[in-house]
Amino acid sequence: MKKTAIVTGASRGIGKAISLKLAADGFTVIAAARADEEKAADYIAELKTISPESIYVPTDISSESARKNLVDTAFEKFGKVDILVNNAGVAPLVRQDILEMTEESMDRLLDINLKGTFFLTQYTANRMIEAKCGEAIVNVTSMSAYTASINRGEYCISKAGLAMATELFAVRLAEYGINVYEIRPGIIRTDMTAAVTAKYEKLIAEGLLPIARMGVPEDIAKAVSALASGVLPYSTGEVINIDGGFHIRTL
Ligand code: NAP
């Protein structure tokens, strides 16, 4: 039987690249995003061209009932979930200095990026343990997990929290043979960065990154594909930076 992978935030950007790569690798993909089937029709068609049995389940990960529906659907249809890729995430609607940032924006970011991901992981892990399946969980965080951007502090805090959640689940799930990894993307060309592409390209031209280009979603997909293949069986809680070398301090 083919291996299965849930991928959240699969309809666009990084999640789309991850889901198509895993489908090409031979996984049955249970893809999720908030968009309904009609809105996601082009994406679903592309996924099914590669992997006809793969499915799309409209899901808002900040909703408990939607999270349960996603995971229960995967188990009902395929009997197991081998890989969970927690990719769904949002940026603040408006970039605001932390002296101005609203509680509403903080709630939105934490509800989706941190709490939604945490409780989806918790529910999936419990079902994996019950069904004696599950090989890896991959959390897509960000360079913002350790980089202070004072005009989107709520995003940074949500990703720093998710970095700790990765370590917590890595420790808790090791006895069940489920490895948990964190992928930290740098600056990746997607809808999320579309409004600030010119700013980032200028910084890159001025020497921000050792590898002097913006990343593309496929850069992240290759890393997830490697982790999902089981290439690091004796590593868990590991952070993989996919950032053109941004994390290296230089002098
Ligand atoms: P994107 O282009 O904005 O795509 C986000 C995806 O997540 C979409 O499929 C979106 O679809 C889905 N999504 C958003 N909110 C959701 C929710 N509540 N429940 C379920 N799905 C939801 O973003 P991206 O750049 O590909 O980012 C993907 C991940 O990488 C995010 O976690 C982001 O924080 C992280 N990241 C991105 C960059 C970058 O430079 N682009 C850098 C570091 C980290 P719907 O709108 O239909 O729900």
Side-chain angles (χ1 to χ4, degrees):
M1 192 190 181
K2 286 175 84 167
K3 291 196 173 174
T4 63
I6 293 178
V7 181
T8 66
S11 62
R12 294 183 276 120
I14 292 170
K16 178 177 174 182
I18 292 170
S19 62
L20 297 182
K21 174 73 178 130
L22 291 181
D25 288 348
F27 283 87
T28 296
V29 175
I30 300 95
R34 288 169 304 183
D36 61 23
E37 278 98 343
E38 201 182 321
K39 211 171 156 207
D42 289 350
Y43 162 72
I44 297 169
E46 208 173 334
L47 176 65
K48 284 186 175 285
T49 306
I50 304 171
S51 169
E53 77 286 0
S54 288
I55 58 168
Y56 177 81
V57 185
T59 308
D60 181 341
I61 61 158
S62 65
S63 149
E64 183 184 8
S65 59
R67 289 191 299 265
K68 287 189 170 162
N69 177 60
L70 170 65
V71 180
D72 291 347
T73 303
F75 275 93
E76 259 164 45
K77 285 204 180 293
F78 306 109
K80 62 176 186 158
V81 171
D82 297 292
I83 307 285
L84 168 65
V85 183
N86 284 311
N87 163 78
V90 291
L93 295 172
V94 201
R95 289 189 172 201
Q96 272 187 316
D97 186 283
I98 51 167
L99 294 179
E100 312 291 333
M101 184 229 292
T102 63
E103 203 167 330
E104 192 185 359
S105 183
M106 174 73 93
D107 283 345
R108 176 172 169 267
L109 272 278
L110 295 186
D111 280 352
I112 297 173
N113 296 0
L114 183 55
K115 276 178 63 188
T117 304
F118 181 94
F119 286 105
L120 176 61
T121 303
Q122 183 197 63
Y123 189 72
T124 308
N126 278 314
R127 295 243 21 201
M128 284 172 166
I129 292 166
E130 193 182 78
K132 295 190 168 46
C133 63
E135 294 183 359
I137 296 173
V138 182
N139 293 331
V140 178
T141 66
S142 170
M143 64 208 271
S144 299
Y146 65 93
T147 303
S149 298
I150 54 171
N151 63 353
R152 51 194 171 101
E154 64 276 58
Y155 183 77
C156 300
I157 290 167
S158 72
K159 294 298 186 176
L162 193 50
M164 175 48 78
T166 305
E167 297 197 356
L168 291 166
F169 279 114
V171 172
R172 188 64 186 86
L173 299 179
E175 69 183 278
Y176 302 104
I178 303 167
N179 289 351
V180 187
Y181 303 104
E182 175 185 350
I183 287 189
R184 269 186 199 164
I187 303 165
I188 313 297
R189 203 178 288 281
T190 68
D191 292 350
M192 190 178 274
T193 48
V196 281
T197 301
K199 173 189 158 184
Y200 286 140
E201 279 183 336
K202 183 166 176 287
L203 290 172
I204 292 168
E206 289 165 359
L208 181 72
L209 306 176
I211 300 174
R213 67 166 173 87
M214 281 181 77
V216 291
E218 289 70 24
D219 290 320
I220 312 299
K222 284 175 186 164
V224 175
S225 164
L227 293 173
S229 77
V231 78
L232 296 179
Y234 195 52
S235 298
T236 192
E238 205 58 52
V239 178
I240 319 281
N241 291 286
I242 309 290
D243 63 355
F246 175 83
H247 66 283
I248 305 166
R249 286 172 199 238
T250 54
L251 188 63

